Amino acid sequence: MPSYQTIDPIANARRPLVESVYCFVENNYSAPISLRDVADAVGYSAAHLTDTFRRCTGTPVTAWIIERRIRAAATLLREAGTDVVTAYESAGFRDLGYFTRQFVRHVGMTPARYRRAMFAAERAICHKENTL
């Protein structure tokens, strides 16, 4: 189950809503989903969902969707044979420029640089293991 910090003292009563949002995003992040889609899935208006989710987690729903997609893309970029285009499309992004900007914002480097860094680190570990 995802972790989130409780900001609002009444948030314990709202946990089922937050958990429903997490589950919906987890099951659908690779598809083109919007705030309206999430709100419809959990049975609330977009405005109510936005307010409640932010008070309970400190994060907007749309930010959670982006964060989940970035994690998925980063995981894919660590796999051999996965290129940047495959990673961003598989993670649910539809625009390479937007994906790259969000990836840099969350990870601190471009997706291509991240991929190279992960493979360089892996090669260094393998080389070190082979020399022991």
Side-chain angles (χ1 to χ4, degrees):
M1 187 53 51
S3 64
Y4 50 88
Q5 74 179 28
T6 302
I7 295 172
D8 187 326
I10 303 172
N12 287 336
R14 296 182 182 126
R15 279 197 178 178
L17 169 64
V18 172
E19 289 174 7
S20 294
V21 170
Y22 280 129
C23 287
F24 180 82
V25 171
E26 187 63 31
N27 292 324
N28 296 285
Y29 69 85
S30 62
I33 56 173
S34 66
L35 176 61
R36 168 65 55 210
D37 296 327
V38 178
D40 289 346
V42 298
Y44 286 88
S45 71
H48 180 72
L49 175 63
T50 299
D51 182 54
T52 302
F53 191 85
R54 185 185 296 248
R55 279 194 279 139
C56 290
T57 67
T59 304
V61 175
T62 52
W64 170 249
I65 295 168
I66 292 167
E67 289 171 18
R68 179 61 185 96
R69 287 176 172 167
I70 293 294
R71 284 197 318 275
T75 299
L76 289 168
L77 289 169
R78 289 190 299 268
E79 296 177 4
T82 304
D83 61 13
V84 172
V85 172
T86 302
Y88 95 85
E89 288 175 342
S90 297
F93 287 96
R94 300 294 173 247
D95 179 87
L96 181 58
Y98 179 74
F99 165 66
T100 300
R101 285 189 302 277
Q102 290 300 319
F103 199 92
V104 168
R105 184 171 155 236
H106 286 58
V107 178
M109 62 182 80
T110 66
R113 185 172 174 209
Y114 177 82
R115 185 173 184 275
R116 285 191 304 272
M118 293 299 109
F119 286 115
E122 183 179 309
R123 282 192 300 271
I125 290 169
C126 289
H127 178 72
K128 184 176 181 179
E129 289 174 354
N130 290 334
T131 59
L132 295 178

